[in-house]
Amino acid sequence: MKLRFLASLLTIVLSAQILCSCSSKQQSTSDKLKDYLGDYSYSENAVCMVYEPVEGETDDNGNPFYGIQYREITDLNGLLVSGNTLVIYFYSSMDTRGSEITAAVEDLAQVYSGRFHVIMLDAVEHRELLEKYDINAVPEFVLIKAGQPDQIFGSGAYEYWNMNDVVIWLQENGIN
């Protein structure tokens, strides 16, 4: 299982190098997001993974280091209907084995920064959304794109899946 996880992680990193035409100039939290997000938080049950400068960390030339920061979502309902392209990552705070998946989702959020935003929701606290999407098991992913029906990854239908399967699903749903 660890070998598959590492292979999946490597696929994401390589996809970043192939798909991302990154420049050295990065943007902080986009204007479309700032109305829905609050301070940094690693304990809230609804957060957005944002690729932005790491506060107070720079290289030798004074350039900021970038990384995934967890920002509290202050208006979840507003964010869900904002028109932003979103990937909801449902997890369970009751399951302590999810850290590997969360780490891979952070990589996904970084690689696809600018194409969609990853929001991380604790399924225990957001049961109404689980019911809305008819989700019976977590982890699970939902893609929300303006003007299109929401898409569900369907992790329960797989005997085994990894993040490469999630990347393929995203690509099949128009995320490149």
Side-chain angles (χ1 to χ4, degrees):
M1 182 166 155
K2 285 188 179 190
L3 183 58
R4 285 187 178 185
F5 172 76
L6 291 174
S8 176
L9 192 58
L10 180 61
T11 300
I12 291 171
V13 171
L14 290 175
S15 295
Q17 292 173 348
I18 294 168
L19 297 174
C20 184
S21 56
C22 299
S23 68
S24 59
K25 190 174 187 177
Q26 299 287 333
Q27 292 183 325
S28 60
T29 308
S30 76
D31 289 338
K32 290 177 104 178
L33 276 181
K34 70 180 179 181
D35 293 336
Y36 308 103
L37 303 182
D39 289 333
Y40 300 110
S41 177
Y42 292 87
S43 61
E44 294 295 326
N45 60 49
V47 296
C48 184
M49 294 180 179
V50 181
Y51 185 63
E52 62 184 5
V54 178
E55 200 170 296
E57 294 192 26
T58 59
D59 65 15
D60 292 338
N61 296 321
N63 299 312
F65 284 119
Y66 282 76
I68 292 297
Q69 306 294 311
Y70 286 52
R71 296 263 185 171
E72 175 187 6
I73 298 172
T74 57
D75 181 4
L76 179 58
N77 291 330
L79 180 57
L80 292 174
V81 298
S82 67
N84 286 292
T85 300
L86 305 170
V87 171
I88 302 173
Y89 161 50
F90 286 101
Y91 72 99
S92 173
S93 59
M94 305 297 284
D95 183 2
T96 59
R97 299 171 295 156
S99 61
E100 285 181 1
I101 294 171
T102 299
V105 173
E106 287 178 0
D107 291 337
L108 186 77
Q110 181 173 331
V111 168
Y112 284 94
S113 175
R115 293 182 215 135
F116 61 77
H117 304 287
V118 174
I119 60 176
M120 185 171 158
L121 301 178
D122 184 347
V124 173
E125 298 294 327
H126 296 279
R127 292 185 190 275
E128 73 284 355
L129 288 173
L130 291 178
E131 291 173 13
K132 174 183 177 181
Y133 292 113
D134 195 27
I135 295 171
N136 298 314
V138 293
E140 186 60 270
F141 300 88
V142 175
L143 173 63
I144 299 173
K145 290 173 70 177
Q148 297 183 14
D150 298 346
Q151 299 296 316
I152 301 166
F153 174 64
S155 62
Y158 289 81
E159 182 176 335
Y160 175 82
W161 61 270
N162 60 36
M163 290 306 293
N164 189 51
D165 296 311
V166 175
V167 169
I168 291 168
W169 167 75
L170 288 168
Q171 291 171 344
E172 289 172 350
N173 284 286
I175 303 292
N176 294 310

